[in-house]
């Protein structure tokens, strides 16, 4: 498996370089269709077609080998984390292929092309992590925060450089070191170019500090690699200057990209060496330095960081936002779609991270949440705080690129969830209604991103999500009412009793059925949607009515909860089909 992984690392590095050649030789649209090239799986390999289709063939080979690697990891590896890394690698390959298709079909949107490179670097790094963990234990030390920060900074710098190149800003500042003698020019595109230059200097400074900080605790191999970092960082700056001076000459640009990928690989390898081979501190040492549980490995840290953002909730938000975009009269550009989906998911992730930060002590009192990263003390609370703040700022910036209205709605949802809903849960059961407002905002944000205005069809989508959340969360409250009581959270079953809660569920199910038919009433969808929505609504309402029985207990509440999970995606899919 290690040989296969290392082969994949080499092929992926070549694929990254070949992707740079494709772009810098203007071969990106040599094959205007996808996944075939002029309708053929193997067109005449000449000129730009040979470069573009050669890139596709190499990518296909990487994808095929990734499938084999994933299967081998699941069959032969005893490490659960390695198995899930294999699944993650396979997901990244599939996602990369989708991005490649979008790049061609939408004719090279800047953000998609940048994301294409960014995903390939994540896949490249993940392969290095897998290679390092094969045959190694999980008993090393936790990853250094400074090393991890430097790696993150380098990755963002590479993405910025890719966006500068794809946006056509690579030659807007032809002089060195400033832009027409100005350290910070007026035009946004030139500012983007200069930001990449300053970012390169910042990354070089961090790369220079790494050998100083880690020399004594590194092996000879690691010391050699660490000594290369400042030299390669300096070489990168020189290559950047030569790229400008040679008017983005192909050898300079490809070398610039290749060195950036190698730098990422060295940092990831160094971090993994410290995780899998460096001496682990004792449990007492870990507890004395912050009370953290001694779980090693960057995969644990990454998993916990993702947990803070509640990925399943984020996935639902992506689906509802996409539905809002789809139901608009006209579909916006690919860049608007990506900015909206990415910005909205980041905003939701930020709100969830801050929610976990504020409720870390409450979560420790309930079995369903006691294993979250903060109550389990696998992460320090400040990490969740800064993650939430950082994601909210980034999300606001991305949504502002869509339009001001969408950004305002997103920020309002974020503030209402964190500052109103979260603290209100311990004071009043009305927190449920308050929390349903930000929860229903994503489809409306998708609508405003496409139309630039709030109109009745968009509000219908908002109220569908609003009314769905009430019975959904009331069912959860029935199942976990004892835990909520222990944590001091005010929910309807504790305030008004189980019988009144079941009546609330039935009433809101009636309202949900009525509002779900409105897309047909206002002419957004056809008869197919009306029939499906009516059938889904009646089944959902019937199940809610079944809960009005005196003997309805936890078994019914759990059944209704799972039914609500099935109901919403089914309704959203029928909306999409209904519009078609």
């Amino acid at each position: 498996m290690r040989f296969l992984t290392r082969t994949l690392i080499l092929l992926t590095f070549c694929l990254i370089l070949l992707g740079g050649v494709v772009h810098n030789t203007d071969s990106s649209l040599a094959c205007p269709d996808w996944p075939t090239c002029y309708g053929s799986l193997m067109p005449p390999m000449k000129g730009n077609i040979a470069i573009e289709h050669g890139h596709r063939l190499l990518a296909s080979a990487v994808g095929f080998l990734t499938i084999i690697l994933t299967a081998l990891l699941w069959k032969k590896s005893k490490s659960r984390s390695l198995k899930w890394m294999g699944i993650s690698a396979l997901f990244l390959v599939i996602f990369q292929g989708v991005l490649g298709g979008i790049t061609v079909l939408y004719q090279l949107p800047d953000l998609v092309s940048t994301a294409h490179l960014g995903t390939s670097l994540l896949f490249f790094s993940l392969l290095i992590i897998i290679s390092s963990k094969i045959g190694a234990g999980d008993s090393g030390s936790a990853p250094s925060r400074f090393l991890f920060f430097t790696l993150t900074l380098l990755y963002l710098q590479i993405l910025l450089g890719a966006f500068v190149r794809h946006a056509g800003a690579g030659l807007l500042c032809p002089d060195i070191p400033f832009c027409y003698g100005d350290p910070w020019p007026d035009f946004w595109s030139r500012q983007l170019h200069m930001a990449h230059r300053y970012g390169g200097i910042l990354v070089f400074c961090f790369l220079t500090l790494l050998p100083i900080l880690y020399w004594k605790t590194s092996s000879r191999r690691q010391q050699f690699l660490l000594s290369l970092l400042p030299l390669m960082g300096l070489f990168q700056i020189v290559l950047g200057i030569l790229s400008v001076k040679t008017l983005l000459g192909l050898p300079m640009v490809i070398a610039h990209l290749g060195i950036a990928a190698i730098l990422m690989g060295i940092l990831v390898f160094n971090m993994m060496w410290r995780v899998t081979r460096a001496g682990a501190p004792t449990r007492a040492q870990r507890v004395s330095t912050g009370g953290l549980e001694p779980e090693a490995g960057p995969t644990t840290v990454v998993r916990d960081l993702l947990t803070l953002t509640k990925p399943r909730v984020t996935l639902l938000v992506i689906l509802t936002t996409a539905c809002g975009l789809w139901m608009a009269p006209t579909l916006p550009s690919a860049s608007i779609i990506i900015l909206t989906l990415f910005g909205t998911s980041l905003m939701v992730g930020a709100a969830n991270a801050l929610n976990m930060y504020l409720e870390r002590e409450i979560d420790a009192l309930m079995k369903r949440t006691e294993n979250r990263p903060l109550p389990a003390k696998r992460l320090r609370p400040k990490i969740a705080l800064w993650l939430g703040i950082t994601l909210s700022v980034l999300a606001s910036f991305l949504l502002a690129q869509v339009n001001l209205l969408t950004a305002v709605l997103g920020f309002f949802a974020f503030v209402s969830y964190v500052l109103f809903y979260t603290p209100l849960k311990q004071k009043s059961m009305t927190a449920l209604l308050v929390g349903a407002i930000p929860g229903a905002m994503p489809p409306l944000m998708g609508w405003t991103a496409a139309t630039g205005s709030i109109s009745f069809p968009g509000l219908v989508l908002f109220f569908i999500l609003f009314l769905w959340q009430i019975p959904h969360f009331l069912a959860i409250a029935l199942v976990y009412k004892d835990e909520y009581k222990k944590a001091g959270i005010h929910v309807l079953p504790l305030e008004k009793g189980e019988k009144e809660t079941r009546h609330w569920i039935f009433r809101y199910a009636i309202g949900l059925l009525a509002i779900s038919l409105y897309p047909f009433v206002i002419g957004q969808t056809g008869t197919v949607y009306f029939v499906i929505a009516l059938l889904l609504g009646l089944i959902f309402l019937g199940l809610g009515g079944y809960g009005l029985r005196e003997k309805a207990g936890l078994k019914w509440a759990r059944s209704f909860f799972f039914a609500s999970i099935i109901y919403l995606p089914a309704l959203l899919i029928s909306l999409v089909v209904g519009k078609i």
Side-chain angles (χ1 to χ4, degrees):
M1 285 191 295
R2 181 169 288 179
F3 175 79
L4 175 59
T5 308
R6 290 176 176 176
T7 302
L8 266 172
I9 292 172
L10 178 60
L11 290 178
T12 302
F13 178 73
C14 294
L15 186 63
I16 291 171
L17 295 185
L18 185 55
V21 173
V22 169
H23 179 75
N24 286 277
T25 56
D26 293 324
S27 303
S28 302
L29 295 178
C31 296
D33 51 339
W34 185 87
T36 58
C37 183
Y38 289 100
S40 173
L41 293 175
M42 185 55 68
M45 301 295 279
K46 297 179 181 179
N48 289 355
I49 292 179
I51 297 173
E52 164 64 357
H53 202 64
H55 179 68
R56 293 187 186 183
L57 293 175
L58 182 56
S60 300
V62 169
F64 178 74
L65 292 177
T66 304
I67 295 173
I68 296 176
L69 176 63
T70 303
L72 288 175
L73 288 173
W74 271 90
K75 183 178 181 181
K76 295 185 176 182
S77 176
K78 296 180 180 179
S79 171
R80 185 179 179 184
S81 61
L82 264 177
K83 292 179 180 180
W84 282 108
M85 277 189 243
I87 294 293
S88 300
L90 184 59
F91 171 80
L92 286 175
V93 162
I94 295 172
F95 184 64
Q96 182 75 331
V98 172
L99 286 177
I102 294 175
T103 301
V104 173
L105 297 179
Y106 280 88
Q107 298 187 343
L108 311 179
D110 300 336
L111 285 173
V112 178
S113 299
T114 303
H116 195 54
L117 173 62
T119 305
S120 67
L121 289 172
L122 290 178
F123 177 73
F124 179 68
S125 300
L126 183 57
L127 289 175
I128 295 174
I129 293 174
I130 293 174
S131 177
S132 300
K133 283 183 69 67
I134 292 176
D138 290 330
S139 59
S141 61
S144 161
R145 284 182 289 179
F146 187 86
L147 185 58
F148 186 78
F149 180 80
T150 305
L151 175 63
T152 304
L153 188 65
L154 174 64
Y155 180 68
L156 294 176
Q157 170 68 0
I158 295 173
L159 292 184
L160 178 59
F163 187 74
V164 167
R165 181 71 182 93
H166 289 297
L171 293 175
L172 291 183
C173 297
D175 52 334
I176 302 293
F178 299 131
C179 187
Y180 294 99
D182 191 348
W184 192 250
D186 295 329
F187 298 103
W188 180 82
S189 53
R190 290 177 179 172
Q191 291 174 350
L192 196 67
H193 182 110
M194 291 303 297
H196 183 60
R197 291 190 187 182
Y198 293 136
I201 296 173
L202 180 62
V203 170
F204 171 73
C205 293
F206 276 82
L207 293 175
T208 304
L209 287 173
L210 287 176
I212 300 173
L213 293 174
Y214 298 112
W215 190 267
K216 291 183 179 180
T217 58
S218 300
S219 65
R220 290 186 178 180
R221 179 189 294 182
Q222 295 303 312
Q223 288 176 347
F224 171 73
L225 292 175
L226 287 171
S227 65
L228 290 178
L229 292 177
L231 295 176
M232 295 178 71
L234 181 61
F235 188 41
Q236 271 293 78
I237 293 176
V238 173
L239 285 173
I241 295 172
L242 292 176
S243 296
V244 173
K245 292 301 182 182
T246 59
L247 304 179
L248 301 179
L250 182 62
M252 301 304 169
V253 173
I254 300 305
H256 196 53
L257 174 61
I259 296 298
I262 292 173
L263 280 171
M264 272 200 72
I266 291 176
L267 290 179
V268 172
F269 182 78
N270 193 295
M271 186 170 65
M272 285 306 301
W273 178 86
R274 295 179 181 281
V275 167
T276 59
R277 292 169 177 81
T282 65
R283 182 183 180 89
Q285 288 173 329
R286 291 279 286 161
V287 172
S288 66
T289 57
L292 303 182
E293 289 297 321
E295 293 200 21
T299 53
T300 300
V301 176
V302 172
R303 185 178 68 240
D304 284 340
L305 290 174
L306 287 174
T307 300
L308 290 175
T309 64
K310 297 184 180 179
R312 286 181 292 183
V313 174
T314 303
L315 177 60
L316 178 61
V317 166
I318 291 174
L319 292 175
T320 56
T321 308
C323 185
L325 287 162
W326 175 259
M327 295 305 293
T330 56
L331 198 64
S333 65
S335 60
I336 292 296
I337 293 174
I338 291 173
L339 280 171
T340 304
L341 295 178
F342 195 44
T344 305
S345 61
L346 287 183
M347 191 67 83
V348 171
N352 288 327
L354 292 178
N355 172 265
M356 287 199 189
Y357 170 77
L358 294 172
E359 294 189 336
R360 60 190 184 277
E361 295 180 0
I362 299 174
D363 286 343
L365 300 175
M366 298 186 290
K367 288 185 178 180
R368 63 187 291 263
T369 56
E370 64 182 4
N371 197 42
R372 285 176 175 175
L374 298 186
K377 296 186 177 181
R378 294 194 303 271
L379 290 177
R380 291 183 175 87
K382 285 186 178 180
I383 294 178
L385 175 63
W386 284 108
L387 176 66
I389 294 173
T390 303
L391 291 181
S392 65
V393 172
L394 181 58
S396 298
F397 173 77
L398 294 177
L399 292 175
Q401 308 308 307
V402 177
N403 57 56
L404 182 59
L405 178 58
T406 304
V408 169
L409 290 176
F411 189 72
F412 172 77
F414 169 77
V415 171
S416 60
Y417 186 85
V418 175
L419 299 184
F420 293 96
Y421 167 68
T422 299
L424 191 60
K425 288 164 67 176
Q426 289 187 292
K427 297 180 179 180
S428 173
M429 66 178 189
T430 56
L432 173 64
L433 300 176
V434 174
I437 295 174
M441 201 64 75
L444 182 59
M445 292 172 62
W447 179 271
T448 60
T451 64
S453 63
I454 297 176
S455 50
F456 186 69
L459 290 174
V460 168
L461 298 176
F462 171 87
F463 281 110
I464 287 175
L465 261 292
F466 180 88
L467 292 174
W468 170 82
Q469 289 176 88
I470 307 302
H472 172 76
F473 285 112
L474 286 177
I476 296 176
L478 284 170
V479 175
Y480 295 105
K481 67 173 185 175
D482 293 334
E483 291 192 26
Y484 286 134
K485 183 178 181 180
K486 184 179 179 181
I489 296 177
H490 292 253
V491 291
L492 189 64
L494 296 176
E495 298 291 319
K496 300 290 185 179
E498 292 187 19
K499 182 177 180 180
E500 182 64 19
T501 302
R502 296 197 300 269
H503 278 278
W504 271 51
I505 289 176
F506 183 70
R507 292 168 197 152
Y508 276 94
I510 294 174
L512 180 59
L513 171 60
I515 195 68
S516 67
L517 301 179
Y518 259 81
F520 171 77
V521 174
I522 60 179
Q524 275 191 299
T525 61
T527 307
V528 172
Y529 169 77
F530 177 80
V531 173
I532 296 175
L534 181 61
L535 181 61
L536 288 172
L538 289 174
I539 294 174
F540 194 63
L541 180 62
L543 187 57
Y546 192 67
L548 297 179
R549 298 174 303 118
E550 289 294 334
K551 295 182 180 180
L554 291 181
K555 185 177 180 180
W556 168 83
R558 288 193 179 95
S559 300
F560 186 85
F561 169 71
F562 287 115
S564 69
I565 295 176
I566 297 172
Y567 170 84
L568 184 63
L571 186 71
L572 295 179
I573 292 172
S574 64
L575 269 172
V576 173
V577 174
K579 184 180 179 183
I580 295 174

